């Protein structure tokens, strides 16, 4: 098995795609007006509109209701990225903070309220973990 993506269901696909394009610096690839993907070397963030939900099971996902999942992105310099995001991210949850497990993390919310963590490994163990 290989974990390849996470999908966010939203009521406003263009708005959320534009946010993640700006936050990550990665251009989305659009499949339809209801589905786009932001692909990184390790995984893909898929963003889909509410009209895609009935293709699986009607009512199985609802936009802007996540309170348990954090989407995480490895970045080269979390402090620099924080400065770059400051002019358009509206809800920083945690300023850059070094966590007990060795990552320096920046936690914020996207326009739908989903939690996003940008982090940079700092401890030798964390650096080694993400070296490959």
């Amino acid at each position: 098995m290989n974990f390849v993506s996470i999908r966010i269901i939203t009521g406003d696909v263009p708005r959320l795609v534009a946010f993640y394009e700006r936050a990550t610096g990665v251009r989305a690839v659009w499949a339809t007006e209801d589905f786009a993907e932001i692909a990184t070397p390790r995984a893909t963030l898929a963003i889909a509109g509410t009209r895609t939900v009935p293709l699986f099971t009607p009512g199985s996902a609802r936009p802007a209701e996540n309170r348990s999942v954090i989407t995480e992105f490895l970045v080269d310099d979390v402090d620099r990225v924080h400065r770059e995001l400051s002019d358009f991210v509206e809800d920083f949850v945690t300023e850059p903070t070094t966590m007990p497990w060795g990552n320096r993390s920046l936690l914020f919310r996207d326009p739908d309220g989903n939690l996003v963590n940008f982090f940079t490994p700092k401890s030798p163990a964390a650096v080694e973990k993400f070296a490959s």
Side-chain angles (χ1 to χ4, degrees), residues 2-68:
N2 186 12
F3 180 72
V4 295
S5 72
I6 188 167
R7 184 178 313 182
I8 298 174
I9 300 297
T10 182
D12 190 339
V13 177
R15 175 189 60 142
L16 208 56
V17 168
F19 176 85
Y20 278 100
E21 284 180 328
R22 185 164 177 195
T24 64
V26 177
R27 299 288 295 163
V29 175
W30 289 81
T32 71
E33 65 182 346
D34 289 315
F35 187 86
E37 293 179 317
I38 296 189
T40 71
R42 294 186 184 210
T44 297
L45 175 63
I47 300 172
T50 55
R51 291 186 297 194
T52 67
V53 175
L55 299 173
F56 295 101
T57 301
S60 60
R62 291 184 300 271
E65 291 192 18
N66 172 38
R67 291 293 180 245
S68 63

